[in-house]
Amino acid sequence: MKQLPRKIDFIEIEKKWERLWEENGTYAYNWGDDGRPRFSIDTPPPYPSGNFHMGNVLNWTYFDMRARFKRMRGYNVHFPQGWDCHGLPTEVAVEKAYKIRRSDLPPDEFRKLCEEWIEQYIAIMKEGVIRLGCSVDWSLEYRTMEPDYMRKVQRSFLILFEKDMIYKGEHPINWCPRCETAIADAEVERESRTGKIYTIAFSVDGKNLLIATTRPEYIPACVAIGVHPEDKRFNKLIGGEASIPLSGRKVAIIADDAVDPKFGTGTMMICTYGDKADVLAVAKYGLPVIKLIDGKGIMTPAAGKYEGMSIEEAREAILKDLDETGLLRKTDNLEQEIGVCWRCDTPIEVVTTDQWFMRTMSLTNEVVNKAMEIDWYPDWMRYRLIDWAKSLDWDWVLSRQRVFATPIPVWYCEKCGKMRTADPEALPVDPRVDKMEGVCECGGTEWRGETDVLDTWFDSSLTCAIHAGWPDREDWRNLFPASMHPSGHDIIRTWAYYLMVRHLALFGETAYDSVLINGMVLGTDGRKMSKSLGNFVATPEVFEKYGSDASRLWAATGGSTGTDIPFRWADAEYGWRFMRKLWNACRFASMRLEDYDPSTKAEPGLLDRWILSKLEGVVREATDEFEPCRFMNAVEASRNFIWHVFCDHYLEAAKHRLYSEGKEKASAQQTLYYSMRRMLQLLAPAIPHLTEEIYSHMYAEGDSDSIHLSLWPEADGSLIDDEAERAGDLIIAVIRDVRKEKNRLGIPLNKPLGELKVYAADPSEAEMIAMGIEDISATLKAEDVEVLEGDGEENEVEGYPSVRFSLASRTDDT
Ligand SMILES: [Zn+2]
Ligand SMILES: [Zn+2]
């Protein structure tokens, strides 16, 4: 055994191990069959945002603790890391940086700029993942923008198209006028705003009919007036017609039980489309559709004199006209919840355009069933997915009108418009650049490539299959479904949902067998972390001050799995102090074990049996808590035991034997050697660097040996010893309280005591104390210890009302 050095720089050793793990291939997945069961982690490829924030620290600490625990449990762990590259934020950043619009360049050239741009962000994030000490197998690294990844995404597109799970059609969709693209329900954020509601006079047979609306600019697209069939004020109008203000165009008055008679004036303007309720009404009553707004958020010719205006301009102009003609009767404030674009906060519009869709609605029941069947940590998070799946009204709109994305592998015949998909062997293709060869059934030979591209989620929702090696490896089902999909609770509705529908549609199977959910990281004051609130903490700052192991201890113990946790500097500092304690204890152990020969067997003493039995309990607890991902409980149980039982009490009481010779020393050495190894293993998933460093000095056999490849401690029932625990607890309590008293009296701890009398009213307690008389005497430097049956008068031992003691300092020593 090598002695631990006196000086240690935690941060330096962290960086050293990150390098060595990579050099030694410590975390390499074995694609062959080595007899171990496989455990595959569907690491979500993050969208590189240019930093590795504390939320990332929390996510990856969870992923990694799971990977490390399973590896030590004997699994062949597949822990890949990819990067989700495509998407709008990069396009916007590139446009800004080069002062261009995306349409200024051919798509492949613009794409190149985006690829270069995202690389710098990937580098920053990758450094963060490595610096956190994640046990990723970097030989599995990938980027979703790589041709090979796009080939697989396009392949899946063709399969789903063949299966009729993907279709093209004209349907209402969410549209962001600023980003000029379709967006999915999952990308629409709900926001509360104070808006205005306007009461406007329509007319029916020359009489006024007042209608309240928040969207007066939609009046030119009004297709009907709805009234509740049981509303006596209005139901006599059903079947008649109303004239629209300003234009005089006539629309039907229809019965619609979705109308709330108490809202506004009790009548409702149905237009195409002010919101989703309009979409439902149009479908239900077969109403016509008026296309009012184009893809840039500009009024179409259907808007009449308002054509060419933006939505805002049209609203102002219509309100002005209504006011001037006296038709605007009232304006009130209204607290309303509206949908805004996730990316730019612009209120979304509902428009009808020709788009590509995946038939996700038909999978809702299967999603719900699978969500019930698989494991969730924590369990109740399953309802986030179920509720989301059930809340959806529309199929997933797949097409986006952007550039930096996976192209849709489709061409259209210029002559007859017939669609033709790419040859699977030719993938990946970019129909915006690549030409389609061949003759159409109509004889046409000219083909127009699809210019729409795929939603980024269509890339990242295929990871369970792609990680496993689909479609190239024959053995891909060894790793599919993924054993675990880990992610944050904020993206269950996107990540967990899209993965599930995607793999269900492709393979008829669940994408993953379990889901691990982490919460969000809040600022130091418990509010949402944000630079403007002054509660923002940058990860490099934490890493530089306390290192990544201490940061991981904060993440592991900051709160229970799935809950939001604030970042607290005190937690990182506490973790760091614990690591110092651990280092010092192990250093002491390494010195006292220098001459220890693990092959010799010694009879354990009472306090050895006491600590071994207690440690056995902690091993069981940590195992039981790690298995269902209750990281906080697992790590706290280990940390509290190591710090406050093993170091504070066992080590102190065993010192006198460790400094002696012979059998006494051998039994204490044996216990120390065995316990330290186990305790380091219990901590290894949470603090991989420091445990590895200590292990390398004390236990490693050869340079490539690693604590992270050692097997997790097996339960050993023979170590459970209730009697030793009872006696040991009492002996330790006596030592603890006498030391406290010594301290209170101002007697230095190393100064010998003259006389120590311990009284126990209960004979069995007296007997137990007597068993530890040598440990008590040596640890407290009390030469004259007497254990007496009976009632003492002085100091009561905490937790033992019938045990008291009295002490005197040695009189001859002044
Ligand atoms: Zn937007
Ligand atoms: Zn044709």
Side-chain angles (χ1 to χ4, degrees), residues 8-25:
I8 175 160
D9 182 333
F10 287 160
I11 291 168
E12 278 314 304
I13 67 131
E14 286 177 0
K15 290 178 181 166
K16 176 186 80 179
W17 282 110
E18 285 152 18
R19 198 186 70 241
L20 288 176
W21 287 331
E22 191 55 23
E23 282 174 24
N24 294 338

Side-chain angles (χ1 to χ4, degrees), residues 413 415-416 418 440 442:
C413 172
K415 208 165 142 196
C416 72
K418 197 173 163 48
C440 179
C442 74

Side-chain angles (χ1 to χ4, degrees), residues 329-349:
R329 295 300 168 82
K330 208 155 65 113
T331 304
D332 297 302
N333 283 337
L334 178 72
E335 285 304 317
Q336 56 181 164
E337 203 185 55
I338 57 165
V340 299
C341 169
W342 68 281
R343 169 72 200 144
C344 69
D345 274 354
T346 304
I348 57 124
E349 299 297 332

Side-chain angles (χ1 to χ4, degrees), residues 358-375:
M358 181 173 154
R359 286 190 206 286
T360 46
M361 292 298 291
S362 63
L363 294 167
T364 301
N365 283 342
E366 265 187 279
V367 171
V368 171
N369 292 342
K370 293 297 177 207
M372 289 308 294
E373 278 168 27
I374 62 171
D375 294 324

Side-chain angles (χ1 to χ4, degrees), residues 585-626:
C586 290
R587 181 165 179 272
F588 169 77
S590 72
M591 292 192 291
R592 303 324 309 160
L593 288 170
E594 220 166 5
D595 60 349
Y596 175 63
D597 173 5
S599 64
T600 57
K601 291 282 163 274
E603 189 61 36
L606 172 65
L607 287 185
D608 298 326
R609 285 185 282 123
W610 167 73
I611 199 72
L612 291 171
S613 180
K614 283 205 171 300
L615 172 58
E616 182 62 20
V618 175
V619 166
R620 290 174 183 203
E621 188 180 352
T623 312
D624 291 349
E625 297 292 337
F626 260 125

Side-chain angles (χ1 to χ4, degrees), residues 412-418 439-447:
Y412 306 91
C413 172
E414 289 281 20
K415 208 165 142 196
C416 72
K418 197 173 163 48
V439 184
C440 179
E441 286 152 34
C442 74
T445 52
E446 296 292 313
W447 300 87

Side-chain angles (χ1 to χ4, degrees), residues 402-476:
R402 308 296 310 177
V403 175
F404 190 41
T406 302
I408 295 175
V410 165
W411 287 259
Y412 306 91
C413 172
E414 289 281 20
K415 208 165 142 196
C416 72
K418 197 173 163 48
M419 189 191 295
R420 185 170 280 194
T421 55
D423 172 5
E425 299 302 314
L427 301 178
V429 295
D430 186 350
R432 296 169 298 179
V433 180
D434 302 334
K435 294 265 170 287
M436 167 60 99
E437 304 290 338
V439 184
C440 179
E441 286 152 34
C442 74
T445 52
E446 296 292 313
W447 300 87
R448 176 174 52 83
E450 174 63 89
T451 53
D452 281 3
V453 292
L454 288 163
D455 180 2
T456 306
W457 286 107
F458 199 76
D459 296 347
S460 50
S461 60
L462 193 56
T463 52
C464 294
I466 290 182
H467 289 163
W470 179 88
D472 305 320
R473 293 187 67 96
E474 278 184 10
D475 60 357
W476 71 279

